[in-house]
Amino acid sequence: MWIIVLGVNQLWLSAAIAICAQVVGIVRVRNISVLANTVVLSVPVFLSMVLVHVPFGQGGWHLALALTLRFTALMSVFLVAATAITVPELVKALYRWPRFAYVVGSAVQMLPQGREALASVRDANKLRGRNTRGPVRSLKYIGLPLITRLLNAGASRAIPLEVAGLDRKGPRTLLVDVREGRVEKLLRWLFPLLAIGVVWWL
């Protein structure tokens, strides 16, 4: 859809793709979250396009509208795709580039993990009866614990990444092939024959 929108670059096509993507998003998630996020992203773009193109020459409104609709179509398709792709599926699809997969997965998960950590820090302050109002108290009781928790979470992922072989050179596969030695190959043929012989003898 991105290639079609950017390649054809027609006002009617951008509008049609944006509408279709929004309908798919509403049907898929059963709410207007995709539409709301698209509007939040598109309104500033529209205002900036109006400020840049409208004051200069004729056709400024048409150009501003065309650029905004193109951006809206691109964002609509991206947000609908984001609702259909889970983080594990995205990282699994990028397994051939492990470092890039880790960076993408960490970036996508950063916001929800930050929200969970922030909620946990706020709950801890409420349980202790602390007043977190004001810049000094909020920095002391919310900001610093939140940063510390996020840094500790990042450091705790270092050992599993090292065990998983993130720094190992060479191609990556979903399963690492086990090299079979001569003894293993001999036993692999010997055991079935031995089992058949035992059954035949009994």
Side-chain angles (χ1 to χ4, degrees), residues 4-199:
I4 293 174
V5 171
L6 296 174
V8 179
N9 194 20
Q10 293 292 329
L11 184 67
W12 64 270
L13 182 62
S14 298
I17 290 178
I19 293 173
C20 292
Q22 293 302 325
V23 171
V24 172
I26 293 174
V27 172
R28 180 171 181 81
V29 300
R30 297 181 180 179
N31 56 47
I32 60 171
S33 59
V34 175
L35 177 61
N37 290 323
T38 305
V39 172
V40 170
L41 293 172
S42 299
V43 169
V45 173
F46 174 70
L47 295 177
S48 64
M49 293 300 156
V50 169
L51 291 175
V52 171
H53 296 287
V54 171
F56 305 99
Q58 297 179 352
W61 282 103
H62 183 271
L63 182 59
L65 181 61
L67 293 175
T68 303
L69 280 177
R70 185 172 65 180
F71 175 83
T72 303
L74 296 176
M75 287 301 100
S76 299
V77 171
F78 174 76
L79 292 174
V80 170
T83 63
I85 300 174
T86 62
V87 176
E89 291 175 347
L90 178 62
V91 174
K92 184 178 179 180
L94 300 173
Y95 74 93
R96 295 183 182 274
W97 307 278
R99 295 186 180 182
F100 180 67
Y102 172 72
V103 171
V104 171
S106 299
V108 174
Q109 292 178 331
M110 183 177 296
L111 184 58
Q113 289 176 353
R115 289 177 179 173
E116 292 179 1
L118 180 60
S120 178
V121 171
R122 286 179 174 174
D123 291 340
N125 286 315
K126 288 180 179 179
L127 291 174
R128 301 191 69 173
R130 286 177 175 170
N131 184 10
T132 58
R133 295 181 179 179
V136 177
R137 291 180 179 177
S138 62
L139 177 62
K140 180 180 179 181
Y141 296 123
I142 295 180
L144 294 179
L146 177 62
I147 295 174
T148 303
R149 182 160 185 168
L150 293 176
L151 291 176
N152 289 334
S156 64
R157 288 194 293 265
I159 296 177
L161 290 173
E162 184 177 356
V163 173
L166 185 66
D167 293 332
R168 290 178 57 187
K169 297 181 180 179
R172 293 295 194 273
T173 59
L174 294 178
L175 296 175
V176 179
D177 295 333
V178 179
R179 295 184 178 180
E180 186 180 39
R182 295 180 179 178
V183 177
E184 288 83 0
K185 186 179 295 186
L186 177 63
L187 293 177
R188 182 166 58 86
W189 285 99
L190 181 61
F191 283 154
L193 296 176
L194 181 62
I196 293 173
V198 172
V199 173

